[in-house]
Amino acid sequence: MSLAEKICLSAAFLFFMTGLLTGIWKYRHMARSEDASSPTYVDIAHRSSLLYSFAALLLAAFSARSVLADWVNVVAAVSALTFFAFAIGTYIVHGLLQDTDNQLRRPHRLGKRLLPPWMTGVFMMLLILGEVGGSLVLGVGAMLGIWQG
């Protein structure tokens, strides 16, 4: 098994466990709430963790079939997975702080602090490049592997 596959499978496990644990957190809020709801970002953290766990499995499958150099696959996998993790982490922080129900609403907040106006935009651009770019590289490597042979 390649290093990229190991990294992707490890991330899938961590994201899946995060999804299960944030599910407990979500349930606890729902059980105590009059309207049986949880804070927006507790719900988002739960759902995104589960979805990213399966996305990491897909990246592992792409890594296994990619004909690109091992180091290229590792860089692509780490790039995508790092930003998956950053996204989940951001959702968890907003869920803990209960500071917003829309992290992209201006002004951007983190707890009681206002973030510089440029910060969220730069982070989102890096996230797009990391997630889409890393996934694209692994996907193209896999497509080359399955359609060339």
Side-chain angles (χ1 to χ4, degrees), residues 57-128:
L57 289 176
L58 184 59
L59 294 181
F62 289 163
S63 297
R65 288 153 184 81
S66 178
V67 295
L68 302 177
D70 287 341
W71 73 267
V72 172
N73 292 331
V74 168
V75 169
V78 167
S79 176
L81 296 168
T82 296
F83 281 100
F84 291 173
F86 281 157
I88 294 167
T90 300
Y91 305 147
I92 290 172
V93 168
H94 285 303
L96 287 168
L97 297 175
Q98 295 185 31
D99 57 353
T100 186
D101 62 358
N102 183 341
Q103 69 180 2
L104 299 179
R105 182 181 300 126
R106 292 189 177 118
H108 304 297
R109 297 183 179 280
L110 185 60
K112 295 182 182 195
R113 295 184 177 190
L114 294 180
L115 298 175
W118 57 267
M119 187 177 281
T120 300
V122 168
F123 177 77
M124 292 305 293
M125 289 306 299
L126 293 172
L127 180 135
I128 290 165

